Amino acid sequence: MSKKHLTFAVSLIVSCVLIVALFWNVEWEKFWQVIGTVSYPRLIPFVICGALAFPLRALRLKYLLPKSDLSFSTLHAANAVGILASVMLPFRAGEFVRPALLQKTGRISFTGALASSVTERIFDILALLVVFSIALGGRANLPELAERGVQVLVVLVSCAGLFVLLGYFKANLILKSAQTVLKFAPLGLRSKLLKLVEDFLQGLGGVGSLRALIAAILLSLVIWVLYSIKYYFGFSAFDAQAPLGTGFALSSMIGIAVAVPAAPGFVGTYQAGSVAAVSGIYGYNREIALGFAILTHVLELCVLVMVGGAEYFRSRKLNLGKNQ
């Protein structure tokens, strides 16, 4: 069995184990009562926020790419199709689909587009840490351990921000420091981590100006706050009195959970993140958490397929999607 097939098999097993564990001993009568009391009109803002994230991500991509005259519609098409591929295909295929589509324009190299994806992921992690800090910091009566966790997150965000700025202005210093720190690490791990640092620095080097860098960072924060508002609207369909913090908890926990290798569509990991946020942080019963997870997951996939599918067919007309 090849490494890719083994990875895919493990991902499927992870999803199956999570689904069985989450639904084990669920009170199905209570679960269907939850589904029956959902305020479906409140899910409309959830869908709208989900759709609005696509143009925001395309705008951020414009700031992250090396200088080019690519139109916003081209960036939106490549980004939406890439996200669709990442979610629906195994092995995070979208990480390579988007650079391939952008390369087809003839105005940007595959390597440059791929480096921007690495930079984008780092910015997403930075924004996710901020959102997670808000989620925990806004929760009343936190245990002492959780309060210290918030303090650690604030330090991590500060260090990550400093790392980004140093990477932009002093790339050689960051690279040499990484080589020194990783000198005693195992060869395989050292090579992978150095490659990640090099790709990130290459992506930062492609950002045209400090203004563009700041704009990309701010847009990352806006995108993740939008995700938090989206999840708040989604959960308010289950509890109209839910605090705004539930949205921040959901966006951060789901964001962390879907990073775990799993079956296409984030099956299992999306539900696990939802339960961790709704039940683990805010104390709702598991039936409400799972009802939210299933219903909003289906809606998210529908929005993704509609936007990504429409952009895929449009990209073929723009000569971006042929032979890919």
Side-chain angles (χ1 to χ4, degrees):
M1 181 182 290
S2 68
K3 185 177 179 180
K4 283 189 174 181
H5 288 133
L6 179 61
T7 301
F8 185 54
V10 171
S11 299
L12 291 178
I13 292 172
V14 168
S15 288
C16 291
V17 170
L18 285 174
I19 290 297
V20 171
L22 290 170
F23 283 90
W24 194 262
N25 289 332
V26 166
E27 297 183 32
W28 289 104
E29 183 177 351
K30 186 184 294 185
F31 172 84
W32 289 114
Q33 287 176 352
V34 168
I35 296 297
T37 57
V38 173
S39 176
Y40 289 95
R42 290 178 177 269
L43 292 173
I44 295 175
F46 175 88
V47 173
I48 293 173
C49 288
L52 285 176
F54 285 91
L56 286 175
R57 293 180 71 95
L59 180 60
R60 179 178 64 174
L61 180 60
K62 186 175 183 65
Y63 287 114
L64 289 176
L65 286 174
K67 287 185 177 180
S68 66
D69 57 350
L70 292 176
S71 67
F72 178 80
S73 62
T74 298
L75 294 172
H76 190 276
N79 188 68
V81 174
I83 295 174
L84 177 63
S86 289
V87 174
M88 305 306 293
L89 299 178
F91 312 122
R92 302 280 179 168
E95 300 294 335
F96 302 98
V97 169
R98 190 179 78 180
L101 291 174
L102 292 172
Q103 183 189 32
K104 287 286 290 181
T105 64
R107 298 170 186 172
I108 184 171
S109 68
F110 180 86
T111 304
L114 186 61
S116 72
S117 296
V118 176
T119 308
E120 186 179 64
R121 294 288 79 78
I122 300 297
F123 286 0
D124 277 335
I125 292 172
L126 178 63
L128 189 149
L129 288 175
V130 173
V131 167
F132 194 35
S133 300
I134 295 172
L136 292 181
R139 186 78 174 97
N141 301 319
L142 274 178
E144 183 180 352
L145 182 61
E147 290 181 355
R148 293 191 178 185
V150 173
Q151 295 171 359
V152 171
L153 284 173
V154 171
V155 173
L156 285 175
V157 170
S158 302
C159 291
L162 180 61
F163 177 77
V164 169
L165 290 176
L166 284 176
Y168 184 75
F169 290 106
K170 300 288 184 180
N172 289 334
L173 175 63
I174 291 293
L175 184 57
K176 289 180 180 178
S177 299
Q179 291 170 342
T180 301
V181 171
L182 297 172
K183 183 164 47 177
F184 301 104
L187 180 60
L189 177 62
R190 181 169 73 246
S191 299
K192 290 181 179 179
L193 290 177
L194 284 176
K195 181 66 166 59
L196 178 62
V197 172
E198 290 170 357
D199 288 344
F200 172 64
L201 294 175
Q202 182 183 354
L204 276 182
V207 178
S209 64
L210 178 60
R211 180 180 178 182
L213 177 66
I214 294 174
I217 294 174
L218 290 177
L219 276 170
S220 298
L221 293 172
V222 170
I223 288 166
W224 279 89
V225 169
L226 178 64
Y227 286 155
S228 301
I229 294 172
K230 175 185 74 172
Y231 287 122
Y232 165 72
F233 281 129
F235 193 69
S236 70
F238 292 79
D239 178 10
Q241 305 301 318
L244 181 60
T246 54
F248 287 88
L250 281 161
S251 63
S252 54
M253 295 308 298
I254 291 174
I256 293 170
V258 299
V260 176
F266 302 139
V267 175
T269 51
Y270 184 100
Q271 286 72 28
S274 299
V275 171
V278 174
S279 298
I281 297 179
Y282 277 88
Y284 287 88
N285 65 57
R286 193 160 40 137
E287 287 73 22
I288 290 179
L290 288 173
F292 164 86
I294 292 173
L295 191 55
T296 57
H297 194 195
V298 170
L299 285 175
E300 289 223 52
L301 291 178
C302 288
V303 172
L304 176 60
V305 169
M306 286 190 291
V307 176
E311 289 293 2
Y312 169 73
F313 289 109
R314 192 174 71 86
S315 69
R316 294 183 64 84
K317 294 181 181 180
L318 294 173
N319 200 31
L320 293 179
K322 295 179 180 178
N323 302 319
Q324 297 301 319

